[in-house]
Amino acid sequence: MLLAEPQENVAKRPVRSSPHSGLLVEFASRQRLRTYRPRQVVLHQSDCTDHVLIVLNGWAELVQQFADGRRQILSLALPGDLCTSNLSAHARMDYSITAITPLTISIIGKFEFRTLLTGHPKLARTFWRNQLLALSIQRRWTANLGQMGAMERIAHLMCELYTRQEKMGHANGNTCSFPLTQTQIADACGLTQVHTNRVIQELRRRQLIDLRSKRLCVKSLNDLCAVAQFDPGYLELAEPEIPYFDAQIAS
């Protein structure tokens, strides 16, 4: 179930994404689009969907909710990212998707998308690279939650989001968009809101960051990376080779 009506001409500014996801975004921008307001739910946990959802503009959070009300942000979807990647029909969601900012999403039927991947090897490579990058980020988040302290986790999240936006051309000097609330930072880093607030204040005191008006200013990226033990290598993935799809075109 998708919780907004389709709207036309919703992408009012050029979509900018990672160079590696450009082909996927170009294709997605020609499909059916829907827009969402901040905090509007796109899909609920346990919903079934027959669609692939690709973010064109804005940010979304992917969240797993527990029965007692606790929640964990599993990932943050930025332009060019897939919010759903299970290509099985009637797949049941084990997480919810909610807009963080005004959000534009491309909606593509899974059967249509599978057919397109089979016939378009370049698009297939872009899709699989997107999936490999998502897995790489997920592994790093898992390691951070298991082994890092609170300050390392929060500093790492800031470094990652700054780096991802810099690659998309969305960073302006040492400043980038950062629409997360302290509650959302806490939910992404497995911390309490009180602890999160203390860490952010300490990062400010050390003059590593300035965070206000939904903008993050990284005053010393090298120093912030040192605090976070941040190595951007996990965000630098080569395009995968998929001989199967090439063979389909040649046959």
Side-chain angles (χ1 to χ4, degrees), residues 201-213:
Q201 294 306 321
E202 177 63 17
L203 291 171
R204 284 176 170 144
R205 189 191 68 78
R206 296 187 188 185
Q207 297 187 354
L208 295 175
I209 66 160
D210 188 18
L211 184 59
R212 66 183 68 191
S213 302

Side-chain angles (χ1 to χ4, degrees), residues 138-151:
Q138 197 70 70
R139 286 192 296 270
R140 184 55 57 94
W141 279 36
T142 299
N144 291 353
L145 288 172
Q147 296 297 324
M148 284 190 166
M151 183 167 292

Side-chain angles (χ1 to χ4, degrees), residues 3 47 58-60 63 103 160 196 200 205 211 227 235 240-241:
L3 303 177
D47 281 349
W59 292 37
V63 176
L103 182 68
E160 178 181 290
T196 297
I200 291 173
R205 189 191 68 78
L211 184 59
V227 169
L235 300 174
E241 292 293 333

Side-chain angles (χ1 to χ4, degrees), residues 122-189:
K122 288 184 178 179
L123 183 62
R125 289 192 185 95
T126 301
F127 169 75
W128 287 114
R129 187 192 180 280
N130 186 295
Q131 296 304 94
L132 292 173
L133 179 59
L135 288 171
S136 181
I137 292 173
Q138 197 70 70
R139 286 192 296 270
R140 184 55 57 94
W141 279 36
T142 299
N144 291 353
L145 288 172
Q147 296 297 324
M148 284 190 166
M151 183 167 292
E152 292 171 312
R153 295 181 202 178
I154 292 174
H156 199 282
L157 179 66
M158 291 176 174
C159 289
E160 178 181 290
L161 292 175
Y162 176 83
T163 301
R164 290 177 66 186
Q165 291 181 84
E166 185 180 43
K167 292 179 182 299
M168 292 187 287
H170 289 177
N172 181 14
N174 61 348
T175 303
C176 67
S177 177
F178 199 87
L180 303 183
T181 65
Q182 288 193 9
T183 299
Q184 288 168 320
I185 296 172
D187 289 343
C189 295

